[in-house]
Amino acid sequence: IGQKRFGLEGAESAVPFVDELLQKAADAGFVESVVGMAHRGRLNVLANIVGKSYGQIFKEFEGNLDPSTVQGSGDVKYHKGAAGRFVARSGNEIAVSLASNPSHLEAVDPVVEGMVRAKQDLIRDRLDFPVLPILIHGDAAFAGQGVVAETLNLSQLPGYRTGGTVHLVINNQVGFTTNPEQARSTAYATDIAKMIQAPIFHVNGDDPEAVVRVARLAFDFRQQFKKDVVVDMVCYRRFGHNEGDEPSYTQPKMYKVIESQRSVRKLYTQSLVSRGDLTLDDAEKVLDDFLERLQLALDETRSQSAPNPTAIPPAPSNNVPLEKVETAVSREAIQRLVANLHSWPEGFTVHPKLSKQLESRNALFESGQIDWSLGEALAFGTLLLEGVDVRFAGQDSRRGTFSHRHAALIDFTTGADFIPLAELSRETSESGINSRIGRFTIYDSLLSEYAALGFEYGYSVVRKDSLVCWEAQFGDFFNGAQIIIDQFLVAAEDKWDQSSGLVLFLPHGYEGQGPEHSSGRIERFLQLCAGSNIAVANPTTSAQMFHLLRAQVRRSHPRPLILFTPKSLLRARQSRSSVEQLLSGSFHEVIDDSLVTGGGKSIDAKDVRRLILCSGKIAFDALSKRDSIVEGNEEGEISAVVRVEQLYPWPIDALTSVFAKYVSVREVVWLQEEPENMGAWNFCHSQLHALLRSDFTLRHVSRIPAGSPATGSAAMHALELQDLLYRALTLPVDAVQPSENH
């Protein structure tokens, strides 16, 4: 009493619907089904389909939780997922799992599709799509949430197909307190499914046998055509949005009808009795037996005193370091991959301009240098050679937004494509060698962030042994998928003990392209960092990228990696690395100043009075300005420029070593391109104070606080950059403000 359970009263036929689907799937030889659904009926599905015990459900209602659970972790019972085995009447079995989901309606849809695709990909021969996705929706959400349309649009795309999803819309004819005429502009809640020409069956939820017949039709259609099918079960909800709600406030006429409506169970019992299939005594005995089992489970639960916590559990460790792993590779592996990446079938015509680019890249390698595109490709390729599957998807990702990747070569004459890295496993299998070479798949996604990122997240939850990457066309476009990031990516392990190793590629950097294509919003991700939930990195060289990607699948405990990638820096000389840097070493959380460590016109560490800390592309602008000062071309303080390549976990040990080296430094400056209220500064501020204490003066240099990330004027952008560098490197140590006329 008094607890929300989002009961299924009025829509009870949803359970026999799912039951029948799984009966058919088990008898058809399916290996598994993954179910995604919102709150209503979730506990019923957990108990009646997945096999979660009544006792366990009652324990959650009674508050019998582990008192050692970290404060703030976990989730409410109608968000949690579970896994079990469904046994059909024939004796055949099928694994079934119900995906965990947040309150954000329909957000779980693409996640389920990604999980299903990952499970199907684990089955090498997946032509029959032997994992069944089932999505259960509410009517108002199915019509109103845009992610529904995005997920439907995934259904027939090569990188996302799962062989058809069965959708059940539990049509209560109301959304919380909103009537249909205020909730949609379409005649039916399911009209959005017409966009993919899915068949839509409308069925009366008060007729369980009709619902089961439609379940059979839906399954058979899915099997025949490998496409989505939608069932609109017209029903009602007896107790309002939740059991603490008073629905007659807003739907008085509807609820007068509902109060007089006999329940589905009573109506069906009456039908069975009148047909002679069941006696009234049999029906009452069945009900009494069921209620007795429920009462027994509740009594057993209440007989066990709930743990009563007397103290708040200790906080978990924060800033948990990433596990150190070996990521160097052999020269033989690099040479094999470079040959693979720069060859194609006889008769294949590479675009003339691209052919010259690939020749230049190969020549650069022969000279001992690796550019960004090759470093990235070698990271993928070396993992493939070690038996790791690599999946990469995003908007225009095969070529790359900035035309650097060219993972798929397109025949200039025929338009046919050729993916060199995908040939590795094919070549080995054809040679008869028992190979562990992984599969490489790369897809240009639909123009979506929400569903596309949700899909890759779901895929990565299942395939923790693979490198799974999603790339935004520009870094700031990720905010079209903010719900997936907030509710799944950064919080799912705390809420549901659900881990992921997904990598987000977010192009970031200020280059005068305007407010929308400058910032990948580093500040938002740093605000979400806690414990070991995610990692945030901003690498500046091809070797750093190489080692970072390889390390992502080598660690024993996966966590998502937010990877801010460059744009103009993709082709810059400064981002190149030597081949030797791939053959030894690993990712460096912090890169010390090259002039102090032996490059160029070296300076002595003891002569450095100012330490400039920065992250990303602006480091090279600062280094150029500093070099000019060292060479006497400009006036300014002798400064060292240190790149913070990993922002979270915050590299305490690496920075402590750097600070100890510069014995004459009086001032530490955090330099960033972003406005003061954005970028890494607000996160780094407290971190640096804890490290520096009273030993140094801390100052920051940034653009002024703003609501927009960047100016729309390229000329103003250039002027602002000059101002940043002046304030960071030219001002005398201890100067508080720049001169008015700088």
Side-chain angles (χ1 to χ4, degrees), residues 458-475:
Y459 196 99
S460 70
V461 166
V462 173
R463 295 300 309 273
K464 296 181 178 67
D465 58 336
S466 301
L467 180 66
V468 184
C469 307
W470 176 79
E471 183 175 54
Q473 193 175 76
F474 288 91

Side-chain angles (χ1 to χ4, degrees), residues 505-539:
F505 281 58
L506 304 179
H508 172 86
Y510 281 52
E511 291 156 334
Q513 295 193 58
E516 269 72 62
H517 300 321
S518 296
S519 176
R521 298 288 190 171
I522 289 174
E523 68 277 1
R524 294 191 184 172
F525 291 97
L526 292 178
Q527 186 184 41
L528 296 169
C529 293
S532 60
N533 67 337
I534 58 174
V536 179
N538 194 7

Side-chain angles (χ1 to χ4, degrees), residues 18-35 48-51 82-98 116 119-120 123 128-134 219 222-223:
V18 178
D19 179 274
E20 187 61 27
L21 283 180
L22 295 179
Q23 298 280 351
K24 297 272 287 182
D27 291 344
F30 277 60
V31 296
E32 188 171 354
S33 176
V34 182
V35 182
N48 293 295
I49 301 296
V50 182
R85 292 198 68 79
F86 179 88
V87 182
R89 288 181 290 275
S90 62
N92 295 321
E93 294 187 21
I94 182 174
V96 59
S97 54
L98 179 64
V116 170
K119 290 173 183 288
Q120 291 177 346
I123 305 166
D128 291 327
F129 301 101
V131 180
L132 176 67
I134 302 172
F219 181 84
R222 189 266 185 190
Q223 288 302 92

